[in-house]
Amino acid sequence: MPKPGAWRQSGRLRCHIAYHMTTQSPDTPCSCDCFVSLPPASAVPAVIFAKNSDRPRDEVQEVVFVPAGTHAPGSRLQCTYIEVEQVSKTHAVILSRPSWLWGAEMGANEHGVCIGNEAVWTKEPVGQGEALLGMDLLRLALERSSSAQEAVRVIAGLLERHGQGGSCREDPEPFCYHNTFLLADRTEAWVLETAGRLWAAQRIQEGARNISNQLSIGTDISAEHPELRTHAQAQGWWGGQGTFDFAQVFSLTQQPVRMEAAKARFRAGRELLQQQQGGITAEVMMDILRNKESGICMDSGGFRTTASMVSILPRDPTQPCVHFLTATPDPSRSVFKPFIFGAGAAQAPQVLSPTFGAQDPVRTVPRFQTQVDRRHTLYLGHQKALGLMEREQDQGQQLRQKQQDLEREGLEAASRLLVGEWAPPSRELGGLFQAFVERESQAYA
């Protein structure tokens, strides 16, 4: 059993990233970064998952709890743009999602499966036809899978049946991409990278791994689409003999600016993980997500980190998984709040955005011709807090200290829970996130 502090200890990251971010044009999206650590890279017997969601600067991200459900045979499910067949049972999930869409940027389910996605562009053309968004695929996999490996199979099957496509931002000008995914559970992680309906997957059983808006699977392929290599050969991208390197074969020869920038973030993220090998905790992951020098915590070119998530997935199945979510932008000035699945788990209303029904710009065609105010209560309070931090140094420092104290309390509660020093009833655990959201809202009021 690790010492209590091992679940949360962290030196400040000693990294002076020398990589230079590629110059961004105003409309150049930088997108996201995902991280995972497995023993022996983790300081504790647990898998640690983390993600920054980098999205259009004013986009609001909400945190949504969806309980487990049963569904009638033949039911249909409306995703962001298209309907798909519903399954008979779906798992409880906690999702961090852009509030205008159905899917999610990152999330977890009651079985300890976590998934984050990334935008990617490959030699396979990106169509503008509406299909499943990568964020839809992410939510569907969480609702339908009890392991990371099963989630890979679910996404692969949905890709084959429905494809991926549609605009990924709330704007009349379409912005489309394919997706890569980092999937983790209590025992292992998988990287799944796609190009249209094609895909390759890599299994990770130890150490640390990150992904950043580029293909990263080379020759170490654990599973793949049955037509992956024949398609590459038919297109003239691979000769059919010798080593098959997925990233080399499918990556664009001339990379767009956004992917050149992603290379620098990927190298920086890998370096930050390597510096902490054997000592990676949830707090270390939070520090990485807050690293501005590398661009991992970003605010440029009309995009910024709009929400963040870190999860502790203990190897011991009798211990609960703990998921920390911000529900607010800029993790360097936000609070990671703990969520634990339990009998008392419910939707925190302060982090749920307003809804607009059939009049929502995403529901009317042509889409996104108007704008609506999707800011939830915590988002509004946080925005006022950020303004105070920027205008009033003394008051801003006091408010930031309140944020840090609240987050530290959450980390310490998780630590005591995971070493057996605190054993509250399930209903109290399920209400933990709601309690921390309320306290953060009070701090801003």
Side-chain angles (χ1 to χ4, degrees), residues 278-297:
I280 297 175
T281 62
E283 194 171 1
V284 166
M285 286 296 199
M286 291 174 189
D287 284 346
I288 290 174
L289 296 184
R290 287 171 165 143
N291 191 290
K292 289 183 176 289
E293 187 178 8
S294 62
I296 291 169
C297 177

Side-chain angles (χ1 to χ4, degrees), residues 10 53 61 63 92 142 280 339 348 362 437:
S10 162
S53 173
Q61 201 148 149
V63 172
L142 287 174
I280 297 175
F339 176 91
V362 71
V437 168

Side-chain angles (χ1 to χ4, degrees), residues 193-394:
E193 299 183 339
T194 73
R197 282 182 164 83
L198 303 174
W199 55 272
Q202 180 185 36
R203 189 181 192 182
I204 303 153
Q205 295 179 292
E206 63 178 18
R209 182 74 151 81
N210 63 308
I211 60 174
S212 296
N213 306 113
Q214 60 183 322
L215 298 181
S216 60
I217 299 174
T219 59
D220 185 9
I221 301 173
S222 306
E224 64 186 78
H225 189 284
E227 299 174 7
L228 182 71
R229 302 189 190 209
T230 54
H231 179 81
Q233 191 173 1
Q235 297 296 317
W237 302 336
W238 180 56
Q241 300 294 322
T243 302
F244 180 83
D245 184 312
F246 175 69
Q248 188 176 73
V249 170
F250 275 85
S251 292
L252 291 165
T253 305
Q254 295 293 324
Q255 300 281 6
V257 171
R258 53 183 168 263
M259 293 187 72
E260 290 297 333
K263 290 180 182 178
R265 291 199 332 276
F266 176 76
R267 292 192 297 267
R270 183 173 57 189
E271 182 180 321
L272 289 166
L273 290 173
Q274 289 173 347
Q275 287 180 3
Q276 300 291 324
Q277 285 282 339
I280 297 175
T281 62
E283 194 171 1
V284 166
M285 286 296 199
M286 291 174 189
D287 284 346
I288 290 174
L289 296 184
R290 287 171 165 143
N291 191 290
K292 289 183 176 289
E293 187 178 8
S294 62
I296 291 169
C297 177
M298 61 87 61
D299 187 351
S300 66
F303 277 62
R304 70 172 170 181
T305 301
T306 56
S308 304
M309 171 179 167
V310 173
S311 295
I312 305 171
L313 314 176
R315 286 283 170 88
D316 182 350
T318 66
Q319 294 182 330
C321 298
V322 185
H323 312 283
F324 294 88
L325 302 108
T326 62
T328 54
D330 187 356
S332 70
R333 297 183 293 178
S334 285
V335 179
F336 284 91
K337 298 167 285 294
F339 176 91
I340 299 173
F341 287 94
Q347 178 64 51
Q350 299 92 334
V351 294
L352 192 64
S353 293
T355 56
F356 301 91
Q359 302 308 310
D360 195 303
V362 71
R363 290 275 159 254
T364 57
V365 179
R367 304 192 196 277
F368 310 125
Q369 300 302 301
T370 59
Q371 293 183 329
V372 291
D373 187 353
R374 301 188 188 274
R375 294 175 296 173
H376 52 69
T377 302
L378 186 66
Y379 185 97
L380 288 166
H382 183 261
Q383 291 303 102
K384 291 179 181 178
L386 292 186
L388 185 63
M389 290 179 191
E390 291 166 0
R391 292 192 312 271
E392 303 290 342
Q393 184 174 0
D394 290 342

